[in-house]
């Protein structure tokens, strides 16, 4: 997810002026078709690319405190609404809501404490204003290691303050529910500097990127994961493997977890350095179709890129897209983007609203009958390699 940053001026009784950056979510869009819900007894023989599941966007996110929300609204109503969404804990998403894809925004913190005292939390406490909950109440942010939050200093509340906490929550739920459909974890590595925010992220150098794979492998046993090497097998490239063997059956992937790198920038390129076909790597990456690492694609705008998504999934690739954009669909009960995403054939469709905000509307993203997954309307009847 890319963020648009705009500076705005904040006033306070005890201080003259503060300049801050409001980082507004640039979400992507999306949409539906009628495809029958799929029961657990039905999907074992279908390939991974022949199903669809619901995911959540920024799955760790907790909305800023009401006091901070009021400050953010100085930039305008739409900007003030941009961070106004919260997700329930991951285990509840997997269990009650049947979510099978989550997204984590990850910051490097090799020494620990870099994100432990956000500027706005500190400033509001100094002014005896409602600062909301302490993001470091348990001291987890003081420890070295990767952290999970949305935007430093301004949108920092998280149900999983560290990457390892998030990974352990996924692992522990999966162990107790070993027959679940495979879970995709989308990881965005964030090091963008926002000029007017005082905390500058630590760059994701090659060394810091290696920490991501390492922390994953420290939490999950190898047998718990489905990695690029598992898809490639004896082939030289991932596209060649898909053409020859196709994706595994859902039954083979029950209880397993996949990882994908959200970045499509220099961080992704550094992740691929020395591993152009993702050999010995943990995460899939979104690259050009002719790339030796091409298998999974991030295509967030299912309205603009509807035809591209359908072309990719018909070619055997798997795609993640988005069902709602900028929190506006839920406020208007506008299902057009959601329905377009459903109809596109994208295998993972993520949302901020797996359940509705009733004070706004009945908008939500869920399969009929609250099913775990459903048959893919584009690929379910397609002939697949390896059959």
């Amino acid at each position: 997810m890319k963020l648009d940053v705009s500076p705005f001026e904040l006033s306070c009784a005890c201080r003259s002026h503060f300049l801050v950056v409001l980082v507004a979510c640039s979400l992507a869009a999306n949409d539906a078709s009628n495809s029958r819900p799929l029961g657990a007894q039905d999907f074992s023989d279908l390939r991974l690319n022949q199903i669809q599941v619901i995911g959540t966007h920024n799955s760790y996110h907790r909305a800023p405190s009401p006091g901070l929300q009021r400050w953010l609204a100085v930039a305008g109503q739409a900007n003030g609404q941009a961070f106004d969404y919260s997700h329930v804990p991951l285990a509840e998403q997997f269990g009650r809501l049947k979510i099978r894809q989550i997204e984590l925004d990850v910051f490097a913190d090799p020494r620990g404490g870099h994100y432990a005292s956000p500027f706005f939390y500190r400033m509001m406490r100094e002014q005896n204003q409602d600062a909301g909950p302490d993001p470091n109440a348990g001291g987890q942010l003081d420890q070295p290691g990767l952290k999970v939050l949305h935007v430093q200093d301004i949108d920092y509340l998280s149900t999983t303050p560290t990457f390892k906490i998030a990974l352990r929550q996924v692992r522990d739920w999966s162990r107790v529910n070993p027959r679940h459909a495979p879970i995709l974890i989308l990881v965005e590595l964030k090091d963008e500097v926002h000029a007017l925010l005082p905390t500058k992220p630590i760059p994701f150098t090659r060394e810091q990127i290696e920490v991501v794979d390492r922390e994953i492998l420290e939490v999950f046993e190898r047998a718990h994961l489905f990695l690029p090497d598992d898809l490639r097998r004896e082939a030289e490239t991932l596209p060649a493997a898909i053409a020859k063997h196709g994706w595994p059956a859902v039954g083979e992937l029950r209880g397993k977890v996949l990882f994908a790198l959200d970045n499509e920038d220099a961080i992704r390129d550094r992740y691929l350095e020395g591993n152009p076909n993702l050999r010995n790597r943990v995460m899939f990456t979104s690259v050009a179709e002719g790339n030796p690492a091409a298998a999974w694609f991030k295509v967030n705008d299912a309205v603009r890129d509807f035809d591209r998504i359908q072309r990719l999934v018909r070619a055997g690739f798997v795609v993640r897209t988005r069902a709602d954009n900028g929190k506006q669909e839920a406020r208007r009960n506008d299902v057009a983007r959601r329905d377009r995403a459903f109809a596109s054939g994208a295998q993972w469709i993520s949302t901020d609203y797996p359940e509705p905000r009733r004070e706004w509307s009945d908008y939500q993203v869920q399969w009929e009958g609250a099913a775990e997954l459903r048959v893919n309307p584009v690929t379910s009847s397609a002939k697949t390699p390896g059959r």
Side-chain angles (χ1 to χ4, degrees):
M1 180 189 69
K2 297 301 178 186
L3 298 170
D4 295 326
V5 181
S6 58
F8 61 93
E9 187 172 272
L10 298 170
S11 59
C12 169
C14 300
R15 296 191 180 193
S16 55
H17 297 285
F18 294 92
L19 287 178
V20 299
V21 173
L22 176 65
V23 187
C25 306
S26 174
L27 310 174
N30 320 306
D31 285 38
S33 76
N34 294 322
S35 181
R36 63 182 176 89
L38 192 62
Q41 72 276 12
D42 298 321
F43 62 71
S44 292
D45 291 337
L46 290 177
R47 302 298 186 99
L48 181 64
N49 63 314
Q50 294 179 311
I51 64 169
Q52 287 183 309
V53 302
I54 302 299
T56 49
H57 160 254
N58 291 349
S59 311
Y60 58 88
H61 191 266
R62 296 167 62 195
S65 69
L68 181 51
Q69 293 252 28
R70 288 191 290 271
W71 284 60
L72 299 180
V74 171
Q77 184 179 17
N79 287 331
Q81 295 170 354
F83 302 145
D84 185 14
Y85 64 101
S86 295
H87 288 295
V88 299
L90 296 182
E92 188 175 352
Q93 291 186 45
F94 298 140
R96 180 171 65 85
L97 300 178
K98 302 299 189 293
I99 294 300
R100 294 297 179 263
Q101 177 255 303
I102 63 171
E103 178 182 350
L104 303 173
D105 290 337
V106 175
F107 289 74
D109 189 13
R111 293 188 178 87
H114 195 70
Y115 305 98
S117 183
F119 170 75
F120 265 82
Y121 178 77
R122 194 170 64 248
M123 181 270 293
M124 294 183 72
R125 284 178 59 86
E126 290 172 357
Q127 302 306 322
N128 295 316
Q129 298 191 36
D130 172 23
D134 181 355
N136 193 31
Q140 300 100 326
L141 297 179
D142 294 325
Q143 304 304 312
L146 301 167
K147 304 303 188 295
V148 176
L149 62 145
H150 188 215
V151 184
Q152 70 275 18
D153 289 324
I154 196 169
D155 190 28
Y156 42 77
L157 292 179
S158 174
T159 61
T160 59
T162 76
F163 192 46
K164 281 192 173 181
I165 287 174
L167 298 178
R168 290 179 187 128
Q169 289 181 7
V170 178
R171 178 200 64 193
D172 293 348
W173 183 88
S174 180
R175 284 175 172 172
V176 175
N177 301 273
R179 302 297 292 170
H180 66 78
I183 293 170
L184 173 69
I185 301 180
L186 191 61
V187 179
E188 181 174 1
L189 306 184
K190 302 182 81 167
D191 63 4
E192 183 180 359
V193 173
H194 304 305
L196 299 177
L197 293 182
T199 302
K200 309 306 178 187
I202 295 167
F204 268 102
T205 61
R206 175 78 174 192
E207 179 182 5
Q208 289 305 314
I209 289 173
E210 297 293 343
V211 175
V212 181
D213 278 6
R214 186 162 64 245
E215 287 201 3
I216 293 170
L217 294 174
E218 286 173 359
V219 171
F220 287 95
E221 296 179 357
R222 175 63 178 84
H224 207 158
L225 302 172
F226 181 76
L227 305 184
D229 286 342
D230 299 323
L231 175 63
R232 188 186 321 96
R233 294 195 275 182
E234 79 287 350
E236 183 61 29
T237 70
L238 294 182
I242 292 170
K244 183 175 182 180
H245 302 294
W247 292 88
V250 172
E252 297 175 46
L253 295 175
R254 280 199 184 105
K256 289 186 179 288
V257 177
L258 300 78
F259 285 84
L261 182 65
D262 183 273
N263 300 70
E264 296 178 294
D265 53 13
I267 291 175
R268 178 203 60 190
D269 296 342
R270 283 194 286 275
Y271 189 74
L272 288 166
E273 285 176 11
N275 311 81
N277 62 359
L278 291 176
R279 191 176 303 279
N280 299 321
R281 281 302 196 189
V282 173
M283 297 185 286
F284 291 90
T285 57
S286 188
V287 293
E289 294 171 46
N291 192 290
W296 168 85
F297 287 82
K298 181 184 76 170
V299 188
N300 281 338
D301 193 334
V303 175
R304 182 190 64 201
D305 295 322
F306 182 83
D307 291 342
R308 181 183 178 221
I309 294 174
Q310 289 210 325
R311 178 171 54 78
L312 287 169
V313 298
R314 287 189 173 115
F317 297 114
V318 292
V319 176
R320 179 265 196 174
T321 194
R322 294 273 306 276
D324 31 72
N325 181 25
K327 318 302 173 289
Q328 297 308 305
E329 286 84 3
R331 293 175 185 271
R332 300 191 304 261
N333 198 21
D334 181 356
V335 300
R337 290 178 183 271
R338 180 200 71 182
D339 291 351
R340 199 67 169 158
F342 288 178
S344 72
Q347 286 81 8
W348 294 278
I349 301 161
S350 77
T351 179
D352 286 317
Y353 303 100
E355 50 190 345
R357 289 278 294 265
R358 296 293 186 189
E359 71 272 30
W360 298 343
S361 77
D362 292 331
Y363 177 89
Q364 70 178 127
V365 181
Q366 187 181 72
W367 303 132
E368 182 182 351
E372 180 184 36
L373 47 76
R374 74 170 192 173
V375 174
N376 192 303
V378 174
T379 62
S380 59
S381 61
K383 186 179 186 302
T384 60
R387 293 260 176 168

